[in-house]
Amino acid sequence: MDKPVEGAGRYNVHGKFVLPAQYSLGNFQGLINVRSYTQTDKLRDKSATWDSVDWLRSITRLPIVSKGILTAEDAREAVKHGVSGILVSNHGGRGLDGVPATIDVLSEVVDAVRGSGIEVYVDGGIRMGTDVVKALALGARAVFVGRAVIWGLAYDGENGVKKVLEILRDEFSIAMALSGCRSLDEISADLVEKRSAYSSKL
């Protein structure tokens, strides 16, 4: 719902990437012949609102996770409409140029839903085990890893993905040890220092 149209990001529009003829986007098969990322705009329902979440809840017993939440206001709205979880995401910055990094708004979203029982996840910029520690410290229940997994897949298929996840796991374990955390419960917000603390006063 936060992305009713495809963004006009420089890399999307000017990159003009088109899949080679022998490949297709499997999750769109039978719906539309999509050859480039920008063509997925044809599949979007521009009329979607929060009421659409209510409708979706009425036809499924599956948990609904709202992706793309970046503000406390939207987080509270998601709670009001009965979502089971929130995924803090800026879609890799491909939607609207200049949106904040997910790690910078994570605390705001977590604070907004505190006490509701809703889990908060985060994606975007998770490249190292230390990134996972920071996200958990700021209140995320889990992180989603996309780009690094794709790199692993391109490198060596399934084995490459396994290698990427092993590297992240090992880096995460080392980061916990060097931070003095013996368990996940000991990862807390005081491990993270905001960049503004180091800004020049000039």
Side-chain angles (χ1 to χ4, degrees):
M1 292 182 338
D2 65 308
K3 199 177 176 190
V5 297
E6 186 54 55
R10 180 176 300 164
Y11 298 109
N12 290 348
V13 176
H14 302 294
K16 297 181 180 177
F17 173 78
V18 177
L19 281 174
Q22 67 268 33
Y23 298 109
S24 64
L25 297 177
N27 51 329
F28 295 119
Q29 285 181 355
L31 296 174
I32 190 173
N33 182 24
V34 177
R35 307 306 306 162
S36 72
Y37 184 75
T38 55
Q39 290 177 326
T40 60
D41 194 46
K42 300 172 185 175
L43 294 171
R44 299 181 194 279
D45 181 355
K46 298 172 179 62
S47 67
T49 67
W50 283 108
D51 291 336
S52 303
V53 176
D54 298 333
W55 168 80
L56 190 58
R57 286 181 56 232
S58 74
I59 63 169
T60 183
R61 288 181 290 180
L62 292 171
I64 296 173
V65 176
S66 182
K67 180 180 181 182
I69 302 297
L70 291 172
T71 65
E73 178 185 7
D74 279 345
R76 287 189 289 268
E77 195 69 22
V79 172
K80 189 169 83 174
H81 287 274
V83 303
S84 302
I86 287 173
L87 177 52
V88 178
S89 175
N90 61 13
H91 305 292
R94 293 182 302 273
L96 178 63
D97 286 340
V99 294
T102 53
I103 196 72
D104 291 330
V105 298
L106 178 57
S107 294
E108 174 184 336
V109 173
V110 169
D111 289 343
V113 303
R114 195 178 307 281
S116 68
I118 288 180
E119 293 186 343
V120 177
Y121 320 113
V122 65
D123 77 359
I126 306 297
R127 303 289 186 269
M128 301 185 297
T130 50
D131 297 325
V132 181
V133 171
K134 292 171 192 173
L136 298 184
L138 295 175
R141 179 72 174 88
V143 300
F144 284 51
V145 182
R147 199 161 301 180
V149 166
I150 292 173
W151 291 338
L153 187 65
Y155 166 68
D156 193 22
E158 180 181 348
N159 289 332
V161 173
K162 288 180 180 177
K163 184 63 176 175
V164 165
L165 296 177
E166 287 170 0
I167 291 170
L168 279 174
R169 181 198 60 204
D170 293 345
E171 289 178 347
F172 176 63
S173 180
I174 292 168
M176 281 186 62
L178 293 177
S179 300
C181 299
R182 296 165 295 182
S183 68
L184 295 179
D185 292 338
E186 293 186 0
I187 299 176
S188 59
D190 59 1
L191 293 176
V192 181
E193 193 69 57
K194 297 285 188 179
R195 183 176 294 174
S196 59
Y198 303 104
S199 297
S200 170
K201 302 295 185 184
L202 299 178

